Amino acid sequence: MADSRLQSPNHGPRILLLSGYDAASHQRWREQLTGMFHDYHWHTLALPPRFFRWRIRGNALTWLNEPCLQEPWDLILATSMVDLASLKGFHPQLACVPSVLYMHENQFAFPVSSKQNSSAEPQMVNLYSAIAADCVVFNSAWNRDSFLRGARAFLDKMPDGVPDGLIAGLNEKSRVIPVPIEDRLFADQPGPVNWACPHLLWNHRWEYDKGPERLLNFLQVLKKRSLPFRLSVVGEGFRSHPKAFDQIHQQFGDRLEQWGFLESREDYDQLLRRADVVVSTALHDFQGLSMLEAMASGCVPLAPDRLAYREYVPEGCRYPSHEQDADLEAEAAADVLEALMQQKPAFCPPDPWRASRLAGPYQSLFDELIQTERSKRSQ
């Protein structure tokens, strides 16, 4: 269990940051925030990203005897995996502390693999936590919209007892503030793209929801069309991974520039700058940090026309989405890549996602909630 305290010299407002399932993107987000805002006094509780079902349902119990939960706080900032409703119930003194629920993802739109049993509990935790929070912040508009749609559909299945206006209330207190992309990653003058033989980069988690089978189909279509390319497949791996990765390594080993997880962040950043086209075949991506980082570094994106990609991937770089027909989608992706190789589009950095651009919205939100609560106490 991670437990870190960052104090500012002037001992500013006290923020309790809770990460119930501290996966890589969650960790990066919280470390950026605590590093960006030194005027706040931060205290962090973070749980390791394993035993998902237990983590999302049991984190409030795991933290039951945490001494810091008895201390006074000006703001609670919790990730979407935190059972905020139970936490406030176990610690009544926290109920009057303003709270933000940050939604890296939502369980209503998270696909269930064939190896998992469907369960409503993770969805209930998300829903109850959103109700318990004063503000719900999403990392993309697609994440927000899919959460509200999913919650509405979920409640519509209930036999009775659903309060009127619940979804409207959640929508009213929702905002979109993405996970920031560090300014240092943005290339001032990216190197030229090798459109004669583009270096394709696939840089996602090695799991089923990122579409490795679709990547295999896409690469097979490129080979069938005799299109030249080089390939790097990197990202966080696990003890077991989809068989498609082994097939990709076997069939396209002679084209590989980089394979597997890069332990060094510096090596990974260099790969982002060397690659030409960053590819997504994902069936789910609530923001797409790996795509945004690669685009900031100079890569041209190639992504399906779905999910959060519509918010920052140019239309000409999105291929038609065919979720129910992987073969047709692979052909569509190859068509768009061929068009890009001919058109040679310009560099398209996602500037609105820069940390320096997003610092203002984050600070405004924190200060607004803190000052509102202080005003209530002084009355």
Side-chain angles (χ1 to χ4, degrees):
M1 181 190 302
D3 185 340
S4 63
R5 186 180 294 270
L6 295 173
Q7 298 189 30
S8 60
N10 60 359
H11 301 289
R14 292 167 52 83
I15 300 181
L16 177 62
L17 196 162
L18 304 172
S19 183
Y21 190 87
D22 204 41
S25 59
H26 298 214
Q27 180 179 358
R28 192 178 316 165
W29 168 80
R30 66 174 176 80
E31 289 178 346
Q32 281 200 73
L33 289 189
T34 55
M36 286 164 62
F37 302 111
H38 297 290
D39 291 338
Y40 301 121
H41 172 103
W42 296 91
H43 185 85
T44 300
L45 294 178
L47 297 175
R50 57 176 184 262
F51 314 127
F52 170 77
R53 291 292 171 86
W54 163 238
R55 281 286 175 270
I56 195 170
R57 196 64 188 93
N59 55 76
L61 191 60
T62 299
W63 288 326
L64 184 64
N65 297 319
E66 280 291 339
C68 73
L69 298 181
Q70 305 302 320
E71 298 177 14
W73 298 102
D74 294 295
L75 180 68
I76 298 170
L77 180 57
T79 66
S80 50
M81 298 299 187
V82 172
D83 186 352
L84 190 58
S86 293
L87 195 76
K88 289 189 173 186
F90 292 160
H91 304 276
Q93 72 280 4
L94 297 179
C96 61
V97 179
S99 55
V100 175
L101 184 70
Y102 191 84
M103 302 290 286
H104 290 272
E105 65 283 295
N106 78 80
Q107 296 303 309
F108 293 102
F110 213 108
V112 178
S113 76
S114 58
K115 298 180 180 179
Q116 294 176 322
N117 295 319
S118 179
S119 170
E121 279 210 60
Q123 297 174 342
M124 294 292 283
V125 170
N126 270 183
L127 179 59
Y128 283 16
S129 294
I131 294 170
D134 293 282
C135 183
V136 187
V137 179
F138 295 84
N139 59 0
S140 71
W142 183 84
N143 189 4
R144 177 199 60 200
D145 296 345
S146 63
F147 170 78
L148 294 172
R149 284 196 306 269
R152 184 185 299 278
F154 178 80
L155 293 173
D156 284 346
K157 296 176 183 177
M158 300 301 106
D160 61 17
V162 177
D164 293 335
L166 180 57
I167 300 301
L170 291 174
N171 182 46
E172 187 175 338
K173 64 179 179 180
S174 294
R175 301 192 189 188
V176 175
I177 311 178
V179 175
I181 305 302
E182 297 169 79
D183 283 36
R184 66 173 185 82
L185 290 175
F186 283 78
D188 294 329
Q189 293 181 330
V193 174
N194 182 356
W195 289 115
C197 184
H199 179 180
L200 308 182
L201 170 65
W202 191 94
N203 57 339
H204 310 274
R205 277 186 292 103
W206 286 29
E207 292 189 292
Y208 73 97
D209 58 294
K210 298 304 182 184
E213 292 82 6
R214 290 171 183 257
L215 174 63
L216 174 62
N217 289 353
F218 168 60
L219 296 174
Q220 289 173 335
V221 171
L222 297 184
K223 184 176 180 179
K224 181 180 67 176
R225 296 188 185 185
S226 299
L227 288 176
F229 67 91
R230 294 162 294 135
L231 176 67
S232 287
V233 178
V234 298
E236 186 181 8
F238 304 91
R239 283 180 294 180
S240 61
H241 56 254
K243 294 180 180 178
F245 288 106
D246 298 327
Q247 294 175 268
I248 291 170
H249 191 270
Q250 180 181 4
Q251 294 182 27
F252 301 97
D254 59 334
R255 301 174 188 252
L256 288 175
E257 295 283 325
Q258 181 65 47
W259 180 262
F261 183 70
L262 285 169
E263 295 286 348
S264 166
R265 178 70 207 202
E266 182 179 354
D267 290 343
Y268 179 67
D269 291 345
Q270 289 178 359
L271 176 63
L272 295 183
R273 292 190 289 269
R274 292 200 314 269
D276 296 312
V277 178
V278 60
V279 178
S280 175
T281 52
L283 294 168
H284 116 264
D285 213 345
F286 290 99
Q287 177 175 335
L289 278 177
S290 60
M291 293 291 288
L292 285 160
E293 288 182 343
M295 290 172 63
S297 301
C299 290
V300 174
L302 178 66
D305 187 24
R306 56 175 174 256
L307 309 171
Y309 300 134
R310 293 175 176 174
E311 297 171 41
Y312 56 85
V313 174
E315 184 178 1
C317 298
R318 301 196 304 264
Y319 55 86
S321 174
H322 299 284
E323 291 190 47
Q324 306 306 317
D325 192 331
D327 292 335
L328 184 59
E329 185 165 281
E331 297 285 349
D335 289 343
V336 172
L337 179 60
E338 281 199 82
L340 292 175
M341 293 171 71
Q342 294 174 3
Q343 297 165 2
K344 303 176 182 178
F347 177 43
C348 51
D351 286 317
W353 280 257
R354 284 179 180 265
S356 55
R357 294 273 192 97
L358 292 172
Y362 273 108
Q363 182 156 11
S364 296
L365 172 62
F366 298 161
D367 290 346
E368 174 189 331
L369 290 171
I370 291 169
Q371 291 304 321
T372 298
E373 181 58 31
R374 286 181 174 177
S375 297
K376 289 180 182 178
R377 293 175 186 174
S378 64
Q379 292 175 355

